[in-house]
């Protein structure tokens, strides 16, 4: 980076930062010993002495903000979010992980478990199974609520390994959805009095869930049929009922709708001077992720080029030794985020991100109404 | 909940329950970008209490109004992010079948 003493600096044009300050403002410089200029200048008057307004102008934000989808599949997506502050990008990430609701098994009523997996371990394993149900169609079950068709999904698991047969692997597809609710009678119920009426169970569904229009077209069940829950030896048996309710990732990670969601800043690799011939070959060899390519220029000469900057992991191999940091600079672009969302399957990743932004909007609205 | 003085509305601490860094850090950003703000910062007094304190000191305007505007700004940004994102996803899905066909050829 070119530095010149303050007194020798050319007159700074009004409304524009001098190039070296602009570089410090927009890039993290990944030097060999440590990254520098990692901070973000937020204060609106930070550059007022240079006649530059750093305040937020919504029209400017709207013009500069861009989203580019790189990859999108059923439960995985990668996109670039350009022109946004890390505080807001991080808010989206935090909300995706901890504040979006999903359905997960919370209560397990075990009628019989003679397997070697202890009841509490089995219940924990069941809790972690992703349930393929849209959480937006359900209500929260608060402490005093009775479980009903709007806030609870009931599954039944009954497997038995016959004596003399081979050992049995219990997988998540054995969890059978009970749209009518629990089938276990309440233990306190007096059995003689209610011989005619329906016996009371652990849930009080007023109607069957599959009769509701939102579930009639698709049945509810575990997202993946092949998750191993337990293994049974001959003569062992598991009979239980699992109740899934709505919750959030900040209570327990089993309610997190994403396997993970993360972002990284866009790497920028700059050749500070022409790198030719043997030096170029050396540079290509130095990089373990093949960021550089060789280009033929006139008279059999070769020149190094930066072909795949996105692949750069900022390992800094390319600026190690000799004077390499005079030839190559690696930086990160501060307002360009490569965002990756891996959904666990209840909702597709693009819907999750949309919901996350909505959650942040709701939070703002709450504060505004509280202050009014 | 606001903690401030009756005579001077330009400085106040706002205590928000059930919030954390997610909202407080975003609001600190929008507040800092407001030229009327002289100082702002936030703290979480105790990690096991779901509560943040946001301190706002302005150059004269009511701190409450400035915080409200900051929330409004953040909300507008979110709305823009959401519409831009949805548009990008739709564009991607529209262009995807074309790409798939070209690979099959």
């Amino acid at each position: 980076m070119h530095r010149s003493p303050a007194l020798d600096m050319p007159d700074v044009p009004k409304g524009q930062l001098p190039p070296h300050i602009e570089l410090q403002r927009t890039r993290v410089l990944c030097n060999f010993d440590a990254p520098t200029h990692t901070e973000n200048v937020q204060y609106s008057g930070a550059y007022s002495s240079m006649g530059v307004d750093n305040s937020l102008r919504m029209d400017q934000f709207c013009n500069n903000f861009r989203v580019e989808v790189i990859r999108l599949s059923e439960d995985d997506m990668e996109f670039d979010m350009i022109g946004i502050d890390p505080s807001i990008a991080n808010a989206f990430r935090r909300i995706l992980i901890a504040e979006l609701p999903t359905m997960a098994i919370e209560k397990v009523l075990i009628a019989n478990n003679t397997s070697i997996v202890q009841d509490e371990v089995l219940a924990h394993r069941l809790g972690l199974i992703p349930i393929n149900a849209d959480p937006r169609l359900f209500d929260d079950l608060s402490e005093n609520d009775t479980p009903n068709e709007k806030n609870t999904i009931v599954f039944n698991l009954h497997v038995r390994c016959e004596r003399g047969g081979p050992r049995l692997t219990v997988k998540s597809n054995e969890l059978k959805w009970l749209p009518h609710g629990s089938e276990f009678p309440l233990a306190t119920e007096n059995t003689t009095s209610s011989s005619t009426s329906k016996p009371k169970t652990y849930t009080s569904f007023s109607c069957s869930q599959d009769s509701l229009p939102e579930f009639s077209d698709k049945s509810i069940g575990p997202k993946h049929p092949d998750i191993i829950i337990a293994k049974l030896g001959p003569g062992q048996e598991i009979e239980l009922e699992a109740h899934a309710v709505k919750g959030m990732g900040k209570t327990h990670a089993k309610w997190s709708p994403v396997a993970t969601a993360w972002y990284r800043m866009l790497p920028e690799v700059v050749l500070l001077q022409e790198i030719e011939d043997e030096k170029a070959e050396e540079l290509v060899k130095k990089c373990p992720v093949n960021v550089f390519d060789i280009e033929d220029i006139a008279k059999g000469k070769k020149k190094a080029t930066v072909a795949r900057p996105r692949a750069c992991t900022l390992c800094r191999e390319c600026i190690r030794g000799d004077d390499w940091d005079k030839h190559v600079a690696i930086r990160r672009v501060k307002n360009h985020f490569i965002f990756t969302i891996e959904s666990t399957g209840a909702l597709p990743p693009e819907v999750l991100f949309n919901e996350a932004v909505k959650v942040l909007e709701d939070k703002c609205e709450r504060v505004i109404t509280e202050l009014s | 909940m606001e903690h401030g003085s009756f005579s001077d509305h330009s400085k106040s601490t706002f205590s928000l329950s059930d919030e954390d860094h997610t909202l407080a850090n975003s609001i600190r950003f929008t507040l800092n970008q407001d030229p009327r703000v002289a100082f702002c910062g936030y703290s979480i007094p105790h990690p096991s209490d779901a509560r943040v304190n946001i301190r706002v000191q302005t150059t004269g305007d009511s701190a409450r109004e400035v915080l409200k505007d900051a929330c409004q700004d953040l909300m507008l940004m979110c709305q823009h992010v959401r519409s831009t994102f949805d548009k990008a996803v739709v564009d991607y899905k529209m262009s995807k079948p074309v790409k798939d066909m070209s690979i099959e050829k």
Side-chain angles (χ1 to χ4, degrees):
Chain A
M1 193 177 64
H2 176 72
R3 284 178 196 273
S4 55
L7 289 175
D8 296 344
M9 270 202 326
D11 283 333
V12 174
K14 286 279 175 192
Q16 210 182 329
L17 287 176
H20 68 286
I21 297 195
E22 184 63 18
L23 185 73
Q24 291 173 6
R25 192 181 73 85
T26 56
R27 303 286 189 271
V28 176
L29 306 183
C30 298
N31 301 329
F32 187 66
D33 48 354
T36 53
H37 307 295
T38 53
E39 76 289 342
N40 259 277
V41 179
Q42 293 186 341
Y43 175 47
S44 61
Y47 302 111
S48 55
S49 64
M50 279 168 269
V52 176
D53 181 14
N54 194 41
S55 65
L56 176 75
R57 277 146 299 165
M58 204 49 75
D59 54 330
Q60 203 188 1
F61 169 76
C62 291
N63 286 336
N64 293 339
F65 181 74
R66 277 187 301 137
V67 171
E68 281 165 23
V69 180
I70 307 294
R71 176 159 54 83
L72 174 63
S73 65
E74 195 188 333
D75 45 23
D76 185 308
M77 97 177 283
E78 183 178 322
F79 61 95
D80 284 18
M81 203 159 55
I82 305 150
I84 198 163
D85 191 79
S87 60
I88 295 170
N90 192 41
F92 295 150
R93 184 193 64 85
R94 285 175 63 98
I95 292 171
L96 277 169
I97 292 171
E99 297 193 47
L100 283 184
T102 52
M103 303 299 286
I105 292 171
E106 166 71 354
K107 273 207 182 84
V108 179
L109 312 175
I110 296 177
N112 188 14
N113 175 21
T114 51
S115 77
I116 55 160
V117 185
Q118 296 94 324
D119 291 0
E120 65 274 22
V121 178
L122 188 63
H124 179 248
R125 289 183 70 79
L126 288 167
L128 294 173
I129 294 170
I131 306 293
N132 191 8
D134 190 338
R136 294 171 294 185
L137 303 174
F138 290 89
D139 297 335
D140 284 308
L141 173 71
S142 43
E143 212 160 304
N144 300 322
D145 285 354
T146 47
N148 62 31
E149 74 281 358
K150 288 302 290 172
N151 57 29
T152 308
I153 305 171
V154 181
F155 296 98
N156 156 286
L157 178 81
H158 192 182
V159 269
R160 180 185 167 76
C161 183
E162 295 304 331
R163 278 190 193 281
R167 276 173 293 176
L168 200 73
T169 303
V170 184
K171 294 194 173 166
S172 52
N173 60 358
E174 299 280 356
L175 280 172
K176 296 282 177 273
W177 178 37
L178 300 180
H180 298 275
S182 173
E183 286 171 351
F184 287 176
L186 266 179
T188 53
E189 186 75 2
N190 190 350
T191 42
T192 52
S193 68
S194 60
S195 53
T196 48
S197 65
K198 224 167 65 176
K200 267 215 167 90
T201 61
Y202 283 86
T203 56
S204 39
F205 281 24
S206 64
C207 63
S208 167
Q209 272 173 337
D210 53 6
S211 70
L212 298 170
E214 56 264 40
F215 307 122
S216 54
D217 53 335
K218 107 178 177 187
S219 116
I220 297 173
K223 171 74 183 172
H224 305 282
D226 53 351
I227 302 171
I228 296 175
I229 298 171
K231 291 196 175 186
L232 300 184
Q236 296 178 347
E237 183 177 3
I238 296 177
E239 184 182 3
L240 58 81
E241 225 174 62
H243 293 200
V245 299
K246 196 169 166 175
M248 281 201 289
K250 59 181 168 187
T251 319
H252 190 291
K254 69 184 175 186
W255 279 300
S256 187
V258 290
T260 188
W262 78 92
Y263 59 77
R264 62 193 181 105
M265 287 181 278
L266 179 76
E268 185 186 59
V269 183
V270 180
L271 303 179
L272 298 172
Q273 40 187 289
E274 292 281 277
I275 299 172
E276 291 175 346
D277 301 332
E278 293 93 71
K279 200 97 171 146
E281 302 266 11
E282 196 188 335
L283 181 65
V284 172
K285 265 204 208 96
K286 262 164 126 28
C287 183
V289 286
N290 263 325
V291 166
F292 304 100
D293 258 354
I294 287 196
E295 199 176 84
D296 291 315
I297 48 173
K299 288 174 234 150
K301 272 183 160 291
K302 288 181 215 152
K303 190 181 86 172
T305 55
V306 182
R308 290 165 289 274
R310 272 178 90 95
C312 181
T313 57
L314 287 110
C315 66
R316 295 173 291 172
E317 257 322 287
C318 54
I319 53 171
R320 195 157 70 102
D322 294 343
D323 267 352
W324 274 104
D325 53 348
K326 302 261 188 313
H327 294 84
V328 185
I330 37 186
R331 304 168 184 157
R332 282 200 189 269
V333 183
K334 277 182 193 172
N335 66 353
H336 187 136
F337 298 97
I338 302 171
F339 220 103
T340 314
I341 302 173
E342 283 175 11
S343 165
T344 52
L347 290 175
E350 71 272 19
V351 177
L352 286 176
F353 186 79
N354 194 301
E355 292 292 315
V357 182
K358 270 191 211 157
V359 168
L360 190 58
E361 278 171 44
D362 291 344
K363 281 171 180 286
C364 295
E365 203 167 331
R366 212 201 95 194
V367 175
I368 293 173
T369 47
E370 237 169 67
L371 291 175
S372 310
Chain B
M1 190 174 36
E2 183 176 352
H3 302 279
S5 85
F6 285 114
S7 52
D8 187 359
H9 293 291
S10 72
K11 33 181 94 72
S12 272
T13 301
F14 300 89
S15 191
L16 308 179
S17 57
D18 296 321
E19 292 299 346
D20 58 2
H21 297 280
T22 306
L23 183 69
N25 197 28
S26 315
I27 286 188
R28 187 184 63 164
F29 164 72
T30 46
L31 274 170
N32 261 322
Q33 296 261 291
D34 191 327
R36 294 173 295 174
V37 173
F39 170 84
C40 80
Y42 77 92
S43 78
I44 294 180
H46 195 282
S48 17
D49 293 345
R51 168 173 300 281
V52 284
N53 292 341
I54 300 177
R55 177 70 178 170
V56 186
Q57 289 172 209
T58 70
T59 52
D61 299 75
S62 154
R64 173 184 286 250
E65 292 307 315
V66 170
L67 179 62
K68 257 160 66 179
D69 287 352
C71 290
Q72 195 67 45
D73 277 353
L74 185 56
M75 225 159 94
L76 289 174
M77 283 173 88
C78 286
Q79 279 160 7
H80 182 69
V81 168
R82 202 146 55 87
S83 59
T84 315
F85 177 82
D86 285 346
K87 202 172 157 291
V89 169
V90 170
D91 286 352
Y92 179 81
K93 282 182 178 165
M94 294 283 275
S95 67
K96 188 85 189 310
V98 181
K99 272 184 202 161
D100 281 351
M101 276 193 286
S102 63
I103 290 167
E104 278 168 17
K105 266 179 203 170

